[in-house]
Structures are given as structure tokens and as C-alpha cells.
Amino acid sequence: DAKTTQPPSMDCAEGRAANLPCNHSTISGNEYVYWYRQIHSQGPQYIIHGLKNNETNEMASLIITEDRKSSTLILPHATLRDTAVYYCIVRLGASGTYKYIFGTGTRLKVLA
Amino acid sequence: SAVISQKPSRDICQRGTSLTIQCQVDSQVTMMFWYRQQPGQSLTLIATANQGSEATYESGFVIDKFPISRPNLTFSTLTVSNLSPEDSSIYLCSVVSVLDTQYFGPGTRLTVL
């Protein structure tokens, strides 16, 4: 099973871009990368996902390397409300039998 | 996105008792999961709740301890049986939408005395 590796913690200044790395060197060709965040032990919140190409939505951008062994989540202008634990996940299995296995996550602290 | 509710939101239980957690979704979904999050830890997948058949459990989790029901496409229950203090955790249900995105409920915080 593919696993993810993330730094345990990071700090970012408010208003700056937060770049959160994730290593998934054992990922298979059809396995997607998902990012979630969790604030104060609430249910994790979906952020973005991708397979090969870079993706962008209203919350963040996802940059996936060409070999797909790593990715970076970018929060373009971090605010204090972005302080959370960010999880990089590889989705395993085929349609109807998916499993989403969480890694240990990165605790991001946005500093005023 | 799917709207997911869980009951109860929190509970305090005595050792040896059981707690049943309900998960309700506002639309029909094919896949539902149950996770456990121990204090200060990441989420661990307990099982996939299968509609109309037995749940599929992950390594380290057994049906006798964590019986799961899923009578239809919008509802599931997780029971944590024979409680011990080590079961004190947040229990979360999640669903997969038609766009293959997973959404989570708010969680149930269980404290076992």
C-alpha cells in the first residue's frame, strides 16, 4: 500500500504562501493524491485532489511532480484561520472499493 | 458535497458498556467508512460499511468489538463494545460522493471512565 510522509510541523507568516510537502514514493499509476485539513478535532475538510496534473481551486493549488513521487499543497495567502493539521492521502483501490489511508499529517501554524 | 450528521456528538461511558454511534447522510452514497482518531493522533480506518452485507474490517479491528450496520444507502451505525479507557477517541464516519471525493461527519467524542 502506498504511504505518505509529511513533516510533522511547519510555521508560516500570515499573508505568505504556505507550501506543504508530501512524499508518496510508492504510489501506483492510478492512485490519486488527496489533501484534507483538520481544525480543532473537527471532521477533516476536503481541500483538493489530483492524479498527474497540477490542480487549483478556490482554496489551494496542488503541484504533483512528474514522477508522481511527491506533491506540494500551496495555500497562496495564508491566514490565521488556516492553522490546522494538513493530511496528504493516497486513495487506494478501484471505484467502489476505495480506501483513503491517512498519514501522520503536518501541523501548520500561521503566525501573525 | 454531502451533509453528514453523527449522533451523539460526545458521550462519557463506563467501562464494560457499549456505545452505538449513528451516521446519517443527506443523499444516497455508495461508500461509507468509519475511522478512529485517538488523542493527538491521525485517523485510522476501522472499516468500510457495506450496504446489505457485512462490513470490511481493517487489520487490527474485529467485528465483535466494532459491529457495524448499514441498512440503506444513507445510514450506518458503529457500536464500540465492551468499552475500556483505551477506546477513548473521536469516531468519525465518512462518505464518498459521486465525484469520488470523501467527506467527513463532525465526529463523536467518546470518553471511557
Side-chain angles (χ1 to χ4, degrees):
Chain A
D1 290 354
K3 294 196 296 188
T4 61
T5 304
Q6 300 175 252
S9 64
M10 293 181 64
D11 291 342
C12 176
E14 189 177 21
R16 296 293 193 119
N19 296 277
L20 292 95
C22 179
N23 181 288
H24 31 78
S25 58
T26 59
I27 197 169
S28 297
N30 61 346
E31 292 174 343
Y32 277 72
V33 178
Y34 281 71
W35 283 82
Y36 286 79
R37 71 181 183 185
Q38 189 176 30
I39 299 172
H40 296 312
S41 296
Q42 299 173 14
Q45 176 190 22
Y46 165 78
I47 301 173
I48 198 167
H49 72 281
L51 180 64
K52 299 180 190 178
N53 302 320
N54 298 337
E55 302 287 344
T56 296
N57 63 20
E58 65 279 4
M59 289 183 68
S61 295
L62 174 60
I63 309 297
I64 302 174
T65 58
E66 192 168 341
D67 63 9
R68 304 215 318 122
K69 294 188 177 190
S70 65
S71 60
T72 301
L73 178 74
I74 302 172
L75 307 177
H77 305 287
T79 70
L80 299 178
R81 288 176 294 180
D82 292 322
T83 293
V85 178
Y86 287 77
Y87 294 101
C88 168
I89 297 153
V90 172
R91 187 187 73 186
L92 309 179
S95 180
T97 63
Y98 293 138
K99 286 199 297 189
Y100 300 75
I101 305 300
F102 280 68
T104 53
T106 296
R107 186 173 297 275
L108 175 69
K109 184 183 291 186
V110 180
L111 306 172
Chain B
S1 64
V3 177
I4 305 165
S5 61
Q6 285 186 234
K7 290 182 182 179
S9 59
R10 59 177 62 226
D11 207 342
I12 300 173
C13 298
Q14 295 297 319
R15 187 193 299 255
T17 63
S18 298
L19 176 69
T20 295
I21 302 166
Q22 299 179 3
C23 177
Q24 180 74 53
V25 191
D26 68 340
S27 58
Q28 293 186 342
V29 293
T30 53
M31 302 194 74
M32 296 180 77
F33 303 96
W34 287 97
Y35 287 83
R36 179 178 73 183
Q37 187 171 30
Q38 296 175 300
Q41 303 296 312
S42 179
L43 282 74
T44 301
L45 180 63
I46 298 172
T48 303
N50 300 311
Q51 194 264 327
S53 64
E54 190 172 288
T56 304
Y57 290 86
E58 297 300 304
S59 175
F61 297 94
V62 295
I63 188 171
D64 289 347
K65 176 69 175 176
F66 299 98
I68 290 170
S69 78
R70 187 165 174 207
N72 56 52
L73 293 176
T74 64
F75 185 79
S76 177
T77 66
L78 167 73
T79 299
V80 189
S81 303
N82 190 23
L83 290 168
S84 68
E86 293 71 36
D87 295 319
S88 296
S89 297
I90 297 173
Y91 293 87
L92 298 124
C93 76
S94 72
V95 304
V96 177
S97 73
V98 293
L99 298 179
D100 288 341
T101 298
Q102 184 179 211
Y103 295 96
F104 284 84
T108 296
R109 184 181 293 273
L110 169 62
T111 302
V112 183
L113 303 178

